[in-house]
Amino acid sequence: EVSLVDKLDGIPLNSEEAYQLSVSSRGITIRAVSEQGAYWAIQTLRQLTERQGKRYSIQGCEITDWPAFRIRGFMQDVGRSYISMEELKREIEVLSRYKMNVFHWHLTENQAWRLESKIFPMLNDSCNMSRMPGKYYTIEDAKELVRFCKEHNVLLIPEIDMPGHATAANIAYPELSGGGTPEHPDFTFNVGKEEVYTFLTNVLREVTTLFPSPYLHIGGDEVSFGIKAWETDPYIQALMKREGMTKVKEAERYFMHRMTDTVRHLGKVLVGWDELLDLNVDTARTVIFWWRHD
């Protein structure tokens, strides 16, 4: 028997994922404050089930459970290595079994742009992919993965990285490139060109139509790998002169603040890597994901 209730005794009021599971000789009872909590109770029940020959048994128990952390995430980087839809679904199913509730889909990288674009088709051309060329996810694939995640109570958050990790996009559309270094060629978008902001706004608008998540991740990490070229790029130098900047880091900050506004105008909450804290983003309205451990 499964029932949804307004509150559970001994549970914090703000824990929407809480549940109580009772297993006895009389039967199995699940009480939860939301459908999500009931779903996690069923996952716990699966973990408690033991097979004995052709029969299954569940030890009697009384469990009251709620999460210590609201966000329990897993990131899959398909930019560097394409992973089949079948494998992605298997991963999501396993994640939900252990009550992980966020699937962070890292879709763009130097090596490939893995999400189909109808307005910029060259992003998916095989010649731009240095790893596993020709492998990308169609719009229908993306919709199907969103549906599958929802079915398993997992929130899918897409990531489109900028202004670094942009080599694949810059090979597809060279006019967007802000350069890089010999080790990281064409690593950055050109933050001094207006067409770059138009391009990225159109990309993000296309992405937001596919992913209903309230969050949109735009990366922002490791820009320092390619920022050296900005010191001599005429467009970026013109931007710096126009805005009274003295360091290229200020141009990076300018870019991120403009794209932050774009994300918010699209109705999404901005998510980025911890380098964004160096750019004075509005931390009250930004979700920071940490990848550095220092």
Side-chain angles (χ1 to χ4, degrees):
E1 179 185 349
V2 179
S3 60
L4 297 182
V5 297
D6 292 333
K7 62 177 292 186
L8 296 171
D9 293 336
I11 299 291
L13 289 176
N14 61 351
S15 186
E16 296 180 355
E17 300 176 77
Y19 65 87
Q20 289 176 333
L21 171 65
S22 175
V23 178
S24 70
S25 58
R26 296 186 300 274
I28 299 170
T29 301
I30 292 171
R31 299 175 73 241
V33 294
S34 69
E35 290 185 2
Q36 192 172 31
Y39 180 86
W40 297 136
I42 292 171
Q43 302 312 305
T44 296
L45 197 59
R46 290 179 64 188
Q47 290 176 296
L48 293 171
T49 303
E50 296 181 0
R51 183 169 181 171
Q52 297 175 335
K54 294 183 179 181
R55 303 184 66 182
Y56 294 86
S57 67
I58 304 172
Q59 185 174 345
C61 62
E62 297 285 341
I63 294 175
T64 297
D65 187 23
W66 67 91
F69 302 102
R70 189 170 63 86
I71 299 296
R72 305 177 299 281
F74 174 88
M75 185 185 82
Q76 183 54 272
D77 179 357
V78 296
R80 293 177 173 88
S81 297
Y82 175 86
I83 296 171
S84 71
M85 284 287 289
E86 291 75 16
E87 174 62 15
L88 288 177
K89 286 184 174 182
R90 189 193 71 83
E91 289 180 353
I92 290 162
E93 192 171 17
V94 171
L95 290 172
S96 72
R97 190 180 306 168
Y98 293 100
K99 305 182 182 68
M100 303 287 276
N101 66 351
V102 169
F103 184 75
H104 172 190
W105 207 14
H106 184 82
L107 285 160
T108 68
E109 257 304 336
N110 297 319
Q111 293 81 3
W113 188 286
R114 298 291 185 195
L115 181 64
E116 180 184 15
S117 174
K118 294 294 188 182
I119 53 177
F120 299 110
M122 280 300 294
L123 289 173
N124 309 124
D125 193 278
S126 294
C127 68
N128 308 326
M129 301 185 181
S130 60
R131 289 190 191 168
M132 307 177 79
K135 296 288 188 179
Y136 64 91
Y137 304 96
T138 66
I139 287 174
E140 290 307 311
D141 287 337
K143 290 179 179 178
E144 169 60 16
L145 207 63
V146 168
R147 184 203 64 77
F148 192 82
C149 282
K150 184 177 181 181
E151 181 182 303
H152 289 79
N153 277 274
V154 173
L155 176 67
L156 195 163
I157 298 177
E159 179 183 351
I160 306 296
D161 211 340
M162 60 185 76
H165 292 276
T167 304
N170 288 332
I171 293 175
Y173 297 97
E175 66 275 15
L176 302 176
S177 179
T181 64
E183 296 81 13
H184 303 283
D186 293 307
F187 186 79
T188 65
F189 289 115
N190 193 312
V191 302
K193 287 186 173 183
E194 278 303 310
E195 55 259 50
V196 166
Y197 297 95
T198 302
F199 166 82
L200 290 173
T201 298
N202 286 330
V203 163
L204 293 183
R205 184 176 289 115
E206 193 173 33
V207 169
T208 57
T209 63
L210 292 176
F211 300 99
S213 162
Y215 305 103
L216 180 58
H217 200 308
I218 62 171
D221 62 311
E222 298 183 325
V223 182
S224 59
F225 285 3
I227 206 171
K228 181 71 175 175
W230 293 10
E231 295 176 359
T232 55
D233 181 271
Y235 292 95
I236 296 175
Q237 287 300 306
L239 166 68
M240 292 175 62
K241 183 177 180 180
R242 186 170 68 249
E243 297 293 329
M245 303 173 185
T246 58
K247 298 179 180 179
V248 289
K249 188 71 175 178
E250 295 173 84
E252 181 186 353
R253 183 179 298 120
Y254 171 89
F255 168 87
M256 194 54 69
H257 282 231
R258 281 191 62 172
M259 294 314 302
T260 294
D261 289 341
T262 295
V263 169
R264 289 176 181 142
H265 285 149
L266 291 171
K268 300 295 185 179
V269 175
L270 178 76
V271 182
W273 293 114
D274 52 282
E275 281 96 332
L276 265 62
L277 293 176
D278 300 330
L279 305 178
N280 302 121
V281 295
D282 181 357
T283 54
R285 298 194 295 167
T286 304
V287 177
I288 300 296
F289 282 19
W290 259 264
W291 72 271
R292 296 180 296 181
H293 301 286
D294 55 355

